Amino acid sequence: MTVKITRGLGFTLMEVMLVVVIVAILAAVAVPSYLQHVQSSRRSEARTQLVRIANLEESYFLDNSQYGSLMSLGLTATSGATYTTENGYYAIGVTLSGTSAYTLTATASGAQASDTLCATLSLTQDGTKSSSTGTVDQCWK
């Protein structure tokens, strides 16, 4: 009588665990990178709206010899005199300094509130760009 040894089909526990470890490592690297990319892409909404509102301010200044509030620019301001961007990622406010200067500030809100690098973006009447903690290159690129 001969005994025939057959090898079972399938995976060993070690092979499955190795695949799980590899997938976990890839996820640990990919997910934070992806989230950082998403936050960076959402900043474009703030930059676009800041430049658009700055253009409205300049147009208003030509007509009225002074800069105006968000309401006077025809923007629907929410409570606290801030304008919420289309997707709700930023709340934009204007600070008027007399009649000849303004600072527009976009503050991250909603899903973008976790963006600690560029929590606020600012633009002044002379085109000066700044951010809360990140550099201009990091936040305004």
Side-chain angles (χ1 to χ4, degrees):
M1 178 162 157
T2 57
V3 176
K4 189 175 183 183
I5 300 175
T6 59
R7 187 159 193 208
L9 299 175
F11 301 104
T12 65
L13 180 60
M14 284 302 285
E15 291 170 332
V16 171
M17 292 306 294
L18 182 62
V19 169
V20 168
V21 167
I22 290 171
V23 168
I25 291 171
L26 289 174
V29 171
V31 169
S33 177
Y34 171 75
L35 293 176
Q36 183 179 7
H37 177 71
V38 168
Q39 285 180 341
S40 176
S41 67
R42 287 177 181 163
R43 288 182 203 132
S44 65
E45 181 174 291
R47 292 189 303 264
T48 301
Q49 291 302 314
L50 286 172
V51 170
R52 182 176 81 84
I53 295 170
N55 287 334
L56 291 172
E57 285 284 10
E58 295 305 324
S59 178
Y60 188 86
F61 186 83
L62 287 173
D63 293 337
N64 301 292
S65 299
Q66 66 181 8
Y67 292 113
S69 66
L70 293 173
M71 293 293 234
S72 62
L73 297 177
L75 298 173
T76 305
T78 58
S79 62
T82 60
Y83 169 75
T84 303
T85 58
E86 181 180 354
N87 295 310
Y89 298 136
Y90 286 89
I92 299 177
V94 62
T95 303
L96 300 173
S97 301
T99 59
S100 61
Y102 67 84
T103 301
L104 298 172
T105 304
T107 305
S109 62
Q112 188 68 3
S114 62
D115 184 7
T116 56
L117 180 63
C118 302
T120 62
L121 301 172
S122 297
L123 180 63
T124 63
Q125 82 285 345
D126 62 357
T128 303
K129 300 171 182 173
S130 61
S131 67
S132 56
T133 55
T135 65
V136 172
D137 288 338
Q138 290 171 319
C139 299
W140 281 87
K141 60 180 169 174

mmCIF file with all atom_site columns, all heavy atoms in Angstrom, residues 73-88:
data_model
loop_
_atom_site.group_PDB
_atom_site.id
_atom_site.type_symbol
_atom_site.label_atom_id
_atom_site.label_alt_id
_atom_site.label_comp_id
_atom_site.label_asym_id
_atom_site.label_entity_id
_atom_site.label_seq_id
_atom_site.pdbx_PDB_ins_code
_atom_site.Cartn_x
_atom_site.Cartn_y
_atom_site.Cartn_z
_atom_site.occupancy
_atom_site.B_iso_or_equiv
_atom_site.pdbx_formal_charge
_atom_site.auth_seq_id
_atom_site.auth_comp_id
_atom_site.auth_asym_id
_atom_site.auth_atom_id
_atom_site.pdbx_PDB_model_num
ATOM 1   N N   . LEU A 1 73 ? -20.540 95.006 -1.734 1.00 0.00 ? 73 LEU A N   1
ATOM 2   C CA  . LEU A 1 73 ? -20.002 94.410 -2.958 1.00 0.00 ? 73 LEU A CA  1
ATOM 3   C C   . LEU A 1 73 ? -21.012 93.494 -3.632 1.00 0.00 ? 73 LEU A C   1
ATOM 4   O O   . LEU A 1 73 ? -20.764 92.965 -4.710 1.00 0.00 ? 73 LEU A O   1
ATOM 5   C CB  . LEU A 1 73 ? -18.733 93.602 -2.644 1.00 0.00 ? 73 LEU A CB  1
ATOM 6   C CG  . LEU A 1 73 ? -17.550 94.379 -2.089 1.00 0.00 ? 73 LEU A CG  1
ATOM 7   C CD1 . LEU A 1 73 ? -16.417 93.431 -1.755 1.00 0.00 ? 73 LEU A CD1 1
ATOM 8   C CD2 . LEU A 1 73 ? -17.102 95.450 -3.065 1.00 0.00 ? 73 LEU A CD2 1
ATOM 9   N N   . GLY A 1 74 ? -22.156 93.293 -2.977 1.00 0.00 ? 74 GLY A N   1
ATOM 10  C CA  . GLY A 1 74 ? -23.185 92.435 -3.541 1.00 0.00 ? 74 GLY A CA  1
ATOM 11  C C   . GLY A 1 74 ? -23.029 90.971 -3.178 1.00 0.00 ? 74 GLY A C   1
ATOM 12  O O   . GLY A 1 74 ? -23.658 90.105 -3.778 1.00 0.00 ? 74 GLY A O   1
ATOM 13  N N   . LEU A 1 75 ? -22.194 90.694 -2.188 1.00 0.00 ? 75 LEU A N   1
ATOM 14  C CA  . LEU A 1 75 ? -22.005 89.310 -1.740 1.00 0.00 ? 75 LEU A CA  1
ATOM 15  C C   . LEU A 1 75 ? -22.904 89.036 -0.550 1.00 0.00 ? 75 LEU A C   1
ATOM 16  O O   . LEU A 1 75 ? -23.011 89.855 0.362  1.00 0.00 ? 75 LEU A O   1
ATOM 17  C CB  . LEU A 1 75 ? -20.545 89.058 -1.354 1.00 0.00 ? 75 LEU A CB  1
ATOM 18  C CG  . LEU A 1 75 ? -19.538 89.234 -2.482 1.00 0.00 ? 75 LEU A CG  1
ATOM 19  C CD1 . LEU A 1 75 ? -18.126 89.138 -1.938 1.00 0.00 ? 75 LEU A CD1 1
ATOM 20  C CD2 . LEU A 1 75 ? -19.762 88.189 -3.564 1.00 0.00 ? 75 LEU A CD2 1
ATOM 21  N N   . THR A 1 76 ? -23.529 87.901 -0.557 1.00 0.00 ? 76 THR A N   1
ATOM 22  C CA  . THR A 1 76 ? -24.388 87.516 0.556  1.00 0.00 ? 76 THR A CA  1
ATOM 23  C C   . THR A 1 76 ? -23.503 87.127 1.723  1.00 0.00 ? 76 THR A C   1
ATOM 24  O O   . THR A 1 76 ? -22.789 86.130 1.664  1.00 0.00 ? 76 THR A O   1
ATOM 25  C CB  . THR A 1 76 ? -25.288 86.330 0.167  1.00 0.00 ? 76 THR A CB  1
ATOM 26  O OG1 . THR A 1 76 ? -26.008 86.692 -0.998 1.00 0.00 ? 76 THR A OG1 1
ATOM 27  C CG2 . THR A 1 76 ? -26.239 85.984 1.284  1.00 0.00 ? 76 THR A CG2 1
ATOM 28  N N   . ALA A 1 77 ? -23.501 87.935 2.729  1.00 0.00 ? 77 ALA A N   1
ATOM 29  C CA  . ALA A 1 77 ? -22.696 87.661 3.911  1.00 0.00 ? 77 ALA A CA  1
ATOM 30  C C   . ALA A 1 77 ? -23.540 86.895 4.921  1.00 0.00 ? 77 ALA A C   1
ATOM 31  O O   . ALA A 1 77 ? -24.723 87.162 5.087  1.00 0.00 ? 77 ALA A O   1
ATOM 32  C CB  . ALA A 1 77 ? -22.179 88.952 4.529  1.00 0.00 ? 77 ALA A CB  1
ATOM 33  N N   . THR A 1 78 ? -22.909 85.934 5.572  1.00 0.00 ? 78 THR A N   1
ATOM 34  C CA  . THR A 1 78 ? -23.598 85.178 6.615  1.00 0.00 ? 78 THR A CA  1
ATOM 35  C C   . THR A 1 78 ? -23.429 85.906 7.936  1.00 0.00 ? 78 THR A C   1
ATOM 36  O O   . THR A 1 78 ? -22.919 87.007 7.984  1.00 0.00 ? 78 THR A O   1
ATOM 37  C CB  . THR A 1 78 ? -23.025 83.746 6.705  1.00 0.00 ? 78 THR A CB  1
ATOM 38  O OG1 . THR A 1 78 ? -21.619 83.834 6.969  1.00 0.00 ? 78 THR A OG1 1
ATOM 39  C CG2 . THR A 1 78 ? -23.248 82.982 5.414  1.00 0.00 ? 78 THR A CG2 1
ATOM 40  N N   . SER A 1 79 ? -23.812 85.274 9.012  1.00 0.00 ? 79 SER A N   1
ATOM 41  C CA  . SER A 1 79 ? -23.696 85.916 10.322 1.00 0.00 ? 79 SER A CA  1
ATOM 42  C C   . SER A 1 79 ? -22.249 86.292 10.600 1.00 0.00 ? 79 SER A C   1
ATOM 43  O O   . SER A 1 79 ? -21.324 85.574 10.253 1.00 0.00 ? 79 SER A O   1
ATOM 44  C CB  . SER A 1 79 ? -24.207 84.966 11.400 1.00 0.00 ? 79 SER A CB  1
ATOM 45  O OG  . SER A 1 79 ? -23.417 83.801 11.437 1.00 0.00 ? 79 SER A OG  1
ATOM 46  N N   . GLY A 1 80 ? -22.057 87.413 11.215 1.00 0.00 ? 80 GLY A N   1
ATOM 47  C CA  . GLY A 1 80 ? -20.711 87.880 11.526 1.00 0.00 ? 80 GLY A CA  1
ATOM 48  C C   . GLY A 1 80 ? -20.034 88.537 10.341 1.00 0.00 ? 80 GLY A C   1
ATOM 49  O O   . GLY A 1 80 ? -18.838 88.723 10.333 1.00 0.00 ? 80 GLY A O   1
ATOM 50  N N   . ALA A 1 81 ? -20.794 88.870 9.305  1.00 0.00 ? 81 ALA A N   1
ATOM 51  C CA  . ALA A 1 81 ? -20.281 89.558 8.124  1.00 0.00 ? 81 ALA A CA  1
ATOM 52  C C   . ALA A 1 81 ? -19.192 88.762 7.414  1.00 0.00 ? 81 ALA A C   1
ATOM 53  O O   . ALA A 1 81 ? -18.188 89.309 6.984  1.00 0.00 ? 81 ALA A O   1
ATOM 54  C CB  . ALA A 1 81 ? -19.799 90.953 8.490  1.00 0.00 ? 81 ALA A CB  1
ATOM 55  N N   . THR A 1 82 ? -19.385 87.464 7.305  1.00 0.00 ? 82 THR A N   1
ATOM 56  C CA  . THR A 1 82 ? -18.451 86.636 6.534  1.00 0.00 ? 82 THR A CA  1
ATOM 57  C C   . THR A 1 82 ? -19.178 86.027 5.342  1.00 0.00 ? 82 THR A C   1
ATOM 58  O O   . THR A 1 82 ? -20.389 85.819 5.376  1.00 0.00 ? 82 THR A O   1
ATOM 59  C CB  . THR A 1 82 ? -17.840 85.506 7.381  1.00 0.00 ? 82 THR A CB  1
ATOM 60  O OG1 . THR A 1 82 ? -18.886 84.672 7.874  1.00 0.00 ? 82 THR A OG1 1
ATOM 61  C CG2 . THR A 1 82 ? -17.028 86.048 8.527  1.00 0.00 ? 82 THR A CG2 1
ATOM 62  N N   . TYR A 1 83 ? -18.422 85.761 4.316  1.00 0.00 ? 83 TYR A N   1
ATOM 63  C CA  . TYR A 1 83 ? -18.942 85.148 3.097  1.00 0.00 ? 83 TYR A CA  1
ATOM 64  C C   . TYR A 1 83 ? -18.434 83.710 3.060  1.00 0.00 ? 83 TYR A C   1
ATOM 65  O O   . TYR A 1 83 ? -17.239 83.463 3.191  1.00 0.00 ? 83 TYR A O   1
ATOM 66  C CB  . TYR A 1 83 ? -18.446 85.942 1.883  1.00 0.00 ? 83 TYR A CB  1
ATOM 67  C CG  . TYR A 1 83 ? -18.701 85.272 0.571  1.00 0.00 ? 83 TYR A CG  1
ATOM 68  C CD1 . TYR A 1 83 ? -19.974 85.240 0.012  1.00 0.00 ? 83 TYR A CD1 1
ATOM 69  C CD2 . TYR A 1 83 ? -17.662 84.684 -0.141 1.00 0.00 ? 83 TYR A CD2 1
ATOM 70  C CE1 . TYR A 1 83 ? -20.211 84.637 -1.207 1.00 0.00 ? 83 TYR A CE1 1
ATOM 71  C CE2 . TYR A 1 83 ? -17.888 84.076 -1.359 1.00 0.00 ? 83 TYR A CE2 1
ATOM 72  C CZ  . TYR A 1 83 ? -19.157 84.055 -1.888 1.00 0.00 ? 83 TYR A CZ  1
ATOM 73  O OH  . TYR A 1 83 ? -19.384 83.450 -3.090 1.00 0.00 ? 83 TYR A OH  1
ATOM 74  N N   . THR A 1 84 ? -19.328 82.751 2.890  1.00 0.00 ? 84 THR A N   1
ATOM 75  C CA  . THR A 1 84 ? -18.943 81.343 2.832  1.00 0.00 ? 84 THR A CA  1
ATOM 76  C C   . THR A 1 84 ? -18.749 80.942 1.374  1.00 0.00 ? 84 THR A C   1
ATOM 77  O O   . THR A 1 84 ? -19.600 81.213 0.529  1.00 0.00 ? 84 THR A O   1
ATOM 78  C CB  . THR A 1 84 ? -20.016 80.451 3.481  1.00 0.00 ? 84 THR A CB  1
ATOM 79  O OG1 . THR A 1 84 ? -20.207 80.887 4.828  1.00 0.00 ? 84 THR A OG1 1
ATOM 80  C CG2 . THR A 1 84 ? -19.595 78.996 3.483  1.00 0.00 ? 84 THR A CG2 1
ATOM 81  N N   . THR A 1 85 ? -17.623 80.299 1.093  1.00 0.00 ? 85 THR A N   1
ATOM 82  C CA  . THR A 1 85 ? -17.331 79.883 -0.272 1.00 0.00 ? 85 THR A CA  1
ATOM 83  C C   . THR A 1 85 ? -18.307 78.803 -0.726 1.00 0.00 ? 85 THR A C   1
ATOM 84  O O   . THR A 1 85 ? -19.033 78.223 0.083  1.00 0.00 ? 85 THR A O   1
ATOM 85  C CB  . THR A 1 85 ? -15.889 79.362 -0.394 1.00 0.00 ? 85 THR A CB  1
ATOM 86  O OG1 . THR A 1 85 ? -15.700 78.275 0.512  1.00 0.00 ? 85 THR A OG1 1
ATOM 87  C CG2 . THR A 1 85 ? -14.878 80.460 -0.110 1.00 0.00 ? 85 THR A CG2 1
ATOM 88  N N   . GLU A 1 86 ? -18.301 78.525 -2.015 1.00 0.00 ? 86 GLU A N   1
ATOM 89  C CA  . GLU A 1 86 ? -19.290 77.647 -2.634 1.00 0.00 ? 86 GLU A CA  1
ATOM 90  C C   . GLU A 1 86 ? -19.413 76.284 -1.951 1.00 0.00 ? 86 GLU A C   1
ATOM 91  O O   . GLU A 1 86 ? -20.512 75.808 -1.697 1.00 0.00 ? 86 GLU A O   1
ATOM 92  C CB  . GLU A 1 86 ? -18.927 77.440 -4.106 1.00 0.00 ? 86 GLU A CB  1
ATOM 93  C CG  . GLU A 1 86 ? -19.897 76.568 -4.854 1.00 0.00 ? 86 GLU A CG  1
ATOM 94  C CD  . GLU A 1 86 ? -19.501 76.388 -6.308 1.00 0.00 ? 86 GLU A CD  1
ATOM 95  O OE1 . GLU A 1 86 ? -18.545 77.026 -6.772 1.00 0.00 ? 86 GLU A OE1 1
ATOM 96  O OE2 . GLU A 1 86 ? -20.167 75.597 -6.985 1.00 0.00 ? 86 GLU A OE2 1
ATOM 97  N N   . ASN A 1 87 ? -18.308 75.639 -1.660 1.00 0.00 ? 87 ASN A N   1
ATOM 98  C CA  . ASN A 1 87 ? -18.343 74.314 -1.037 1.00 0.00 ? 87 ASN A CA  1
ATOM 99  C C   . ASN A 1 87 ? -18.283 74.359 0.484  1.00 0.00 ? 87 ASN A C   1
ATOM 100 O O   . ASN A 1 87 ? -18.248 73.324 1.140  1.00 0.00 ? 87 ASN A O   1
ATOM 101 C CB  . ASN A 1 87 ? -17.208 73.440 -1.577 1.00 0.00 ? 87 ASN A CB  1
ATOM 102 C CG  . ASN A 1 87 ? -17.376 73.153 -3.051 1.00 0.00 ? 87 ASN A CG  1
ATOM 103 O OD1 . ASN A 1 87 ? -18.445 72.733 -3.483 1.00 0.00 ? 87 ASN A OD1 1
ATOM 104 N ND2 . ASN A 1 87 ? -16.334 73.391 -3.823 1.00 0.00 ? 87 ASN A ND2 1
ATOM 105 N N   . GLY A 1 88 ? -18.230 75.550 1.063  1.00 0.00 ? 88 GLY A N   1
ATOM 106 C CA  . GLY A 1 88 ? -18.232 75.703 2.511  1.00 0.00 ? 88 GLY A CA  1
ATOM 107 C C   . GLY A 1 88 ? -16.904 75.400 3.173  1.00 0.00 ? 88 GLY A C   1
ATOM 108 O O   . GLY A 1 88 ? -16.847 75.200 4.383  1.00 0.00 ? 88 GLY A O   1
#
